[in-house]
Amino acid sequence: MAGLRVRAGHIHRESRRQTHKHGQRVLSIKSEDKLLLQQREKEKPLTKTADILMAGTVCITTIILIFGVGSQALDLLKATSVLGDPPSTPKVHCWCSSYPNVTFCSWPEPLPSHPTQYIATYSERDSNSDPKTCHLVPPGSSSSLTTEPPSSLSEQLWHCHLPNLKLLTEYILNITAVHSGGSSFHLTSFMLEDIVKPDPPVDVRVSPLTTKNLLVEWSPPPTWTSTDIFPLKYQLLYQWEIRGRPKFINLGPFEKTKAELRGLIPGRTYQFQVCAKEMLGLGQCSDWSSPIKITIPTTKL
């Protein structure tokens, strides 16, 4: 279905379409084109509201709604352009690196064009209280609050710190980008328990016990500050090569911060990494720790 709306200072033509992709239902609404308006002007006189339309001013709005199948999760993306191109819609990623106290959302800094400002707010979905403002941390900041999620080396990230979120509560986050060409926003909902992702374990150590046995030890991520109340469990990944072909074994979960490996091959080089996950299985495992390599000795220690 399509229609034309004319308001003072704005021209809108709307069209709707629905598609299905990767288990998500996407509804997009787009407005365009001055040519259609000119044709309609010949067919029907404009209303008094349209008579005060500013010459040459066109407002183009694009809205995309993304619903997660089988959940209440909602993503809403919108871009509005007054003159030229609007700022790119922020691609927002949220995670809780220390349940339940430390939650961040991040999005990439757009390519240099127009200076872009951000407004970041969040609120409880089922509450009538006013939205709260996120603490924004710009790219390159030395703030000790941030922990970087995975990203390309060339990607500069903005961060939004959301303190003191409630357990088992759904939140709505609104990130709005504004510059001289218009505005765009990303609206998303989440529950804290769904976005738990610890930082990787640190200080991974490997000690040979015999010519076939190793002891692997590690420390919890220092940013996970409530291990006594919300303990972690761990996965251990070790890899090697046979005639140039990679092999790997993923062991765990381990509740302790060490594991003994037996039956390894003397003279072979192994690589070890560890990831951490909340003990009850909330969210997802951390990224893998930095790899540690060791060659099994061929003589007795």
Side-chain angles (χ1 to χ4, degrees), residues 194-212:
D194 295 332
I195 62 170
V196 174
K197 184 180 180 180
D199 288 332
V202 298
D203 194 22
V204 179
R205 309 173 300 280
V206 181
S207 305
L209 299 177
T210 68
T211 55
K212 292 187 177 182

Side-chain angles (χ1 to χ4, degrees), residues 66-292:
I66 305 175
F67 297 86
V69 175
S71 72
Q72 293 182 335
L74 163 67
D75 276 8
L76 172 64
L77 313 178
K78 178 179 178 180
T80 300
S81 176
V82 178
L83 296 171
D85 295 328
S88 59
T89 303
K91 297 178 181 179
V92 181
H93 165 71
C94 298
W95 74 103
C96 174
S97 61
S98 182
Y99 182 77
N101 300 317
V102 181
T103 303
F104 287 101
C105 295
S106 69
W107 58 95
E109 169 87 335
L111 295 175
S113 54
H114 303 280
T116 302
Q117 295 182 332
Y118 292 98
I119 303 169
T121 61
Y122 64 100
S123 60
E124 295 179 32
R125 186 179 187 124
D126 297 324
S127 172
N128 293 324
S129 59
D130 293 334
K132 298 179 181 179
T133 302
C134 293
H135 172 65
L136 285 176
V137 181
S141 171
S142 59
S143 171
S144 60
L145 291 174
T146 61
T147 56
E148 296 283 344
S151 63
S152 66
L153 294 177
S154 62
E155 198 171 67
Q156 295 292 310
L157 297 175
W158 280 83
H159 288 83
C160 166
H161 179 222
L162 290 73
N164 304 319
L165 299 186
K166 297 180 182 178
L167 306 184
L168 302 173
T169 302
E170 189 168 9
Y171 286 89
I172 294 179
L173 174 74
N174 184 349
I175 306 294
T176 301
V178 181
H179 71 40
S180 58
S183 66
S184 63
F185 69 78
H186 180 110
L187 188 67
T188 187
S189 66
F190 65 87
M191 290 186 68
L192 190 58
E193 289 71 22
D194 295 332
I195 62 170
V196 174
K197 184 180 180 180
D199 288 332
V202 298
D203 194 22
V204 179
R205 309 173 300 280
V206 181
S207 305
L209 299 177
T210 68
T211 55
K212 292 187 177 182
N213 300 343
L214 285 178
L215 179 65
V216 184
E217 301 174 281
W218 58 88
S219 299
T223 50
W224 191 273
T225 57
S226 302
T227 52
D228 53 339
I229 304 174
F230 300 103
L232 296 170
K233 56 184 177 181
Y234 304 92
Q235 296 289 136
L236 172 62
L237 176 70
Y238 70 98
Q239 306 175 70
W240 67 96
E241 289 186 356
I242 298 179
R243 297 174 184 172
R245 302 181 64 179
K247 304 288 183 180
F248 69 90
I249 293 179
N250 192 333
L251 299 176
F254 300 97
E255 295 184 12
K256 296 182 178 181
T257 56
K258 62 181 179 180
E260 183 177 343
L261 305 180
R262 301 174 181 271
L264 303 178
I265 305 299
R268 177 175 290 170
T269 299
Y270 293 88
Q271 176 179 288
F272 300 90
Q273 293 175 280
V274 185
C275 77
K277 190 173 185 179
E278 196 277 330
M279 180 66 75
L280 298 180
L282 298 180
Q284 58 182 307
C285 208
S286 72
D287 296 326
W288 292 105
S289 63
S290 299
I292 299 294

Side-chain angles (χ1 to χ4, degrees), residues 5-22:
R5 280 187 311 178
V6 180
R7 299 184 305 173
H10 298 283
I11 303 171
H12 287 271
R13 179 196 172 199
E14 298 183 353
S15 61
R16 295 173 181 253
R17 61 184 175 84
Q18 289 190 353
T19 60
H20 293 268
K21 182 179 180 181
H22 304 305

